[in-house]
Amino acid sequence: MNDNEYLFSVPSFGKAHSISRTQVYREIGSGRLKASKVGKRTVITAENAASWRAALPPFGRRAA
């Protein structure tokens, strides 16, 4: 099993989740998305990606 199968680079995470590279770094900076460094690369595990998705607010009407 290859560990890279469970890692997203910042660009691949952004592409997979339809957000910009800048927004990925904003999510990391805010603490909502956990990332790690592997050498010079910033990576996001599949587990952390799933946690981030689960914490997203539901889509729908706003409270009045």
Side-chain angles (χ1 to χ4, degrees):
M1 215 176 286
N2 185 351
D3 285 342
N4 289 332
E5 292 178 53
Y6 299 100
L7 299 176
F8 288 98
S9 65
V10 170
S12 67
F13 181 87
K15 185 174 181 178
H17 295 88
S18 300
I19 62 174
S20 70
R21 177 181 170 273
T22 300
Q23 188 61 39
V24 174
Y25 280 112
R26 284 185 187 142
E27 291 296 303
I28 292 168
S30 72
R32 290 185 294 262
L33 177 60
K34 293 181 182 173
S36 301
K37 292 296 270 188
V38 176
K40 292 183 179 182
R41 291 181 60 199
T42 301
V43 296
I44 298 116
T45 65
E47 182 178 340
N48 287 337
S51 295
W52 177 80
R53 284 190 304 271
L56 290 174
F59 182 77
R61 290 188 194 185
R62 294 180 187 213

